[in-house]
Amino acid sequence: MNFKYPLYNLNDEEFEKLVALICNKILGTGTIVFSAGKDGGRDAKFTGTANRYPSEASPWSGRFIIQAKHTIKPVASCSDSEFETILRKECISIRNLKNSGKIDYYLMFTNRKLSGLQDPKIEDFVSETVGVPNSLIGDETIQLWLEINPQIAKILNLSRLFLPITFYEKDLQDNCCCFF
């Protein structure tokens, strides 16, 4: 990949739409998206057999809960203590969904960096805490899926994220400290 979309420049709603479009592709058109606001640990759901997740040869089948966790921090990582706090709170929601019989699989998408060492630790933590098979999809995988599925980037007009910042002379004059 020659470039990386700066997904931290999206707002939460735009990131959730990106996740929904990816899920529509990897899970299926039955992906149901919820409105913004209190979501009880769910930004979207899917019920059925996934098109191609985790693979076409052996797709998961059942009730999926999809959660999007967006950050505006360009260097944010899944190793950050802030993310650990988010994950612990999400486990409470997942447990509630499991206790009410509304979840078989949990997918969390984030635009944070995800290392190969951190990934199994997080998946094991969620599995051991709530007993639900899960996957954490980080920025690297989202970037790859955008490259494979350029129509998603086109639908969301993600190329706009590469536009240069515009400076106006008047703004610079009004906001600069003058030392002369």
Side-chain angles (χ1 to χ4, degrees):
M1 180 183 325
N2 295 335
F3 60 88
K4 182 177 170 181
Y5 290 103
L7 300 178
Y8 52 85
N9 285 333
L10 297 174
N11 62 39
D12 289 347
E13 187 177 313
E14 291 168 325
F15 186 72
E16 288 175 14
K17 187 169 183 179
L18 167 63
V19 168
L21 288 167
I22 289 172
C23 287
N24 189 280
K25 197 77 166 160
I26 65 170
L27 300 177
T29 57
T31 300
I32 296 171
V33 180
F34 302 117
S35 64
K38 286 191 148 200
D39 58 24
R42 330 181 289 166
D43 289 320
K45 72 176 184 175
F46 174 84
T47 302
T49 301
N51 285 341
R52 56 178 63 118
Y53 195 85
S55 72
E56 287 184 52
S58 186
W60 283 350
S61 185
R63 294 163 298 197
F64 294 72
I65 296 299
I66 302 148
Q67 187 68 0
K69 289 298 177 188
H70 177 258
T71 181
I72 59 170
K73 298 176 183 174
V75 295
S77 166
C78 292
S79 302
D80 298 340
S81 62
E82 177 187 13
F83 187 72
E84 184 179 335
T85 301
I86 290 168
L87 195 59
R88 289 184 186 283
K89 287 179 183 176
E90 285 303 310
C91 283
I92 295 168
S93 296
I94 299 167
R95 186 178 294 116
N96 291 338
L97 290 165
K98 183 178 182 198
N99 290 341
S100 61
K102 294 182 176 153
I103 185 173
D104 296 312
Y105 301 99
Y106 180 75
L107 298 177
M108 179 188 280
F109 290 76
T110 182
N111 62 316
R112 294 169 178 269
K113 292 185 249 177
L114 176 62
S115 74
L117 292 175
Q118 197 64 18
D119 177 62
K121 289 179 185 177
I122 292 170
E123 287 185 3
D124 289 348
F125 172 77
V126 173
S127 291
E128 291 166 8
T129 303
V130 296
V132 173
N134 65 92
S135 286
L136 176 61
I137 295 105
D139 187 64
E140 299 79 10
T141 301
I142 293 171
Q143 297 288 342
L144 177 65
W145 285 344
L146 287 171
E147 186 175 355
I148 293 168
N149 300 287
Q151 68 278 16
I152 293 174
K154 186 175 180 179
I155 290 167
L156 296 173
N157 190 24
L158 294 182
S159 61
R160 70 180 161 44
L161 300 175
F162 295 118
L163 295 176
I165 298 172
T166 305
F167 293 97
Y168 298 97
E169 185 177 350
K170 177 84 170 112
D171 292 336
L172 293 173
Q173 290 170 349
D174 291 345
N175 295 312
C176 283
C177 297
C178 295
F179 297 103
F180 302 101

